[in-house]
Amino acid sequence: MPITDALLDSFRNARHVVVFTGAGVSAESGIPTFRDALTGLWERFDPAELATPDAFRRDPALVWGWYEWRRMKVLQAQPNPAHLAIAALAERVPKLTLVTQNVDDLHERAGSRDVIHLHGSLHAPRCFACARPHTLTETPEEPAEGRRLEPPRCQHCNGLVRPGVVWFGEMLPEAALQAAFDAAGACDLLLSIGTSGVVQPAASIPRVALQAGAVVVHVNPQPAGHDGRREFSLTGAAGGVLPDLLRMLGGRHGIIDGSFRP
Ligand SMILES: [Zn+2]
């Protein structure tokens, strides 16, 4: 559906907006989705060989190498117009809570603050033994032959440092999940962007908002057929739809010829 006046009014009247983002938003910055990240050098690997606690116990250098390779890809990428539009939207509404399933830091680099990371972050590793956070160097070491890299050691207990992402078989971080559900249940409007909506429990976040009486707007390249009384689909790349939406909302945030600066 097009962006209607009724939809714009929902944004203008909202006191609390939740923005919920998934892999589609990162993909527009050229960040490979989880499965796409298993092509090229990594094509013969299975996610179960790289993204589980058992995989890390079995071969920490292989798993660490993969995550450092992914972190390197993220650091080489830039926030796209969708990231920038979300950061700008936060300046336009009384309250905005940003919940992401992405493990990169592109929202933060676009200027968003207090981002709730449901699946952890490539940039927040911790000790596999004692769970204390570990500070990484700015520039990842290139994994040898593109693959293996010994993980650093914990400064406290000399344990191996693991990626700060949620692996298969692990719970989502409880505090982040709770904060996301609380925000979804309390918001007037939830914007779900670039997320397929199939991975639980995160997929139920838009549902919680809808049931609590909020307007829910989905932004995806494929039409999702959600259009209902309070649930809408905007079809297109997030980097096109969101700047359009901001421009139509109008305001004082330096919107020039479709581009803008947060
Ligand atoms: Zn430790």
Side-chain angles (χ1 to χ4, degrees), residues 127-132 154-160:
C127 177
F128 194 51
C130 77
R132 284 190 179 91
C154 172
Q155 288 139 328
H156 302 278
C157 77
N158 203 39
L160 292 174

Side-chain angles (χ1 to χ4, degrees), residues 38-61:
L38 288 164
T39 56
L41 283 173
W42 301 95
E43 67 188 344
R44 69 182 177 84
F45 293 94
D46 186 271
E49 290 177 69
L50 295 168
T52 69
D54 277 348
F56 188 73
R57 277 187 208 99
R58 202 159 49 229
D59 195 345

Side-chain angles (χ1 to χ4, degrees), residues 100 118 206 214:
T100 188
L118 285 186

Side-chain angles (χ1 to χ4, degrees), residues 148-197:
R148 306 173 66 86
L149 188 66
E150 285 300 323
R153 293 274 173 178
C154 172
Q155 288 139 328
H156 302 278
C157 77
N158 203 39
L160 292 174
V161 169
R162 60 160 283 176
V165 300
V166 177
W167 278 331
F168 291 112
E170 294 185 316
M171 305 290 286
L172 300 194
E174 201 176 326
L177 197 58
Q178 190 62 49
F181 276 112
D182 287 351
C187 72
D188 309 293
L189 193 151
L190 182 140
L191 195 50
S192 172
I193 309 167
T195 171
S196 62

Side-chain angles (χ1 to χ4, degrees), residues 237-255:
V241 172
L242 296 179
D244 281 351
L245 183 66
L246 266 191
R247 191 166 48 243
M248 290 171 81
L249 282 171
R252 56 187 170 74
H253 283 271
I255 296 163

Side-chain angles (χ1 to χ4, degrees), residues 6-94:
L7 192 54
L8 292 172
D9 281 343
S10 299
F11 276 92
R12 291 190 184 109
N13 296 332
R15 286 153 299 163
H16 183 183
V17 172
V18 170
V19 176
F20 178 51
T21 65
V25 175
S26 295
E28 289 180 30
S29 282
I31 306 289
T33 61
F34 187 80
R35 281 190 194 277
D36 290 342
L38 288 164
T39 56
L41 283 173
W42 301 95
E43 67 188 344
R44 69 182 177 84
F45 293 94
D46 186 271
E49 290 177 69
L50 295 168
T52 69
D54 277 348
F56 188 73
R57 277 187 208 99
R58 202 159 49 229
D59 195 345
L62 182 71
V63 173
W64 185 256
W66 188 53
Y67 281 94
E68 281 296 87
W69 175 81
R70 289 178 61 197
R71 187 165 75 98
M72 201 167 64
K73 295 277 175 211
V74 167
L75 293 175
Q76 289 163 354
Q78 296 300 327
N80 65 59
H83 294 109
L84 296 170
I86 292 163
L89 183 63
E91 306 289 319
R92 307 274 278 274
V93 296

